[in-house]
Amino acid sequence: MHISSSAAVYVISVAADLAGMHPQTLRQYDRLGLVSPERTAGRGRRYSGKDIAKLRLIQQLSQVEGVNLVGIKKIIDLQNQVDALKSRNEELEDEVRARRSAQERDARVFAAGTAGDVVSIARGRRPQGRPEPGALVLYNRYRRR
């Protein structure tokens, strides 16, 4: 059985052990808004795998990099904004691709048919067949082949 990394399954004591912190530290981070675990009906905290990863990042920024908690909050907020912008950018790129594909599919090119009529052909194709004898054929001597 596979448990999603976003499933809130860890109680505070287990989350604290997995993150290498004291449970009181997790409560403080929750109050500061650095990590927001889900709550049970009885208001108990439940942490997900993503929350544990975030706690480890906070610990590294704090202990190894020397960033204070206000700086860590700002870093996390900025990272969330970057993630949201990346997601929106991907949505817009998908929309552009879909519109281009629809344009290419719906693009119509017209040409003179062999009988002098106007025909719709696929882009990049030439009308099939030879002109009828005596049909008017346009010639441009300056056109390069």
Side-chain angles (χ1 to χ4, degrees), residues 106-113 117-127:
D106 297 339
R108 295 174 28 179
V109 177
F110 299 97
D117 55 334
V118 176
V119 294
S120 176
I121 59 174
R123 187 177 296 279
R125 299 277 186 203
R126 292 183 180 271

Side-chain angles (χ1 to χ4, degrees), residues 2-99:
H2 175 71
I3 297 175
S4 170
S5 65
S6 60
V9 294
Y10 303 108
V11 294
I12 192 166
S13 59
V14 174
D17 284 343
L18 291 172
M21 300 178 177
H22 193 275
Q24 190 60 36
T25 306
L26 273 64
R27 290 184 189 94
Q28 180 184 5
Y29 289 171
D30 185 12
R31 281 191 298 273
L32 294 172
L34 293 173
V35 177
S36 300
E38 291 186 24
R39 300 287 182 146
T40 63
R43 301 293 299 152
R45 293 173 174 87
R46 292 292 186 267
Y47 292 86
S48 68
K50 288 182 180 180
D51 293 332
I52 303 299
K54 188 183 280 189
L55 288 167
R56 289 178 180 154
L57 172 66
I58 292 168
Q59 186 177 36
Q60 179 189 0
L61 288 171
S62 174
Q63 294 178 357
V64 177
E65 305 293 332
V67 181
N68 65 19
L69 294 178
V70 174
I72 292 172
K73 174 120 176 79
K74 188 67 174 174
I75 289 169
I76 290 172
D77 289 345
L78 289 172
Q79 186 61 50
N80 290 340
Q81 286 179 0
V82 167
D83 292 342
L85 290 171
K86 282 181 181 178
S87 176
R88 180 65 179 141
N89 189 42
E90 288 174 5
E91 290 173 8
L92 292 173
E93 285 176 347
D94 290 343
E95 185 178 330
V96 166
R97 275 192 290 280
R99 288 186 183 207

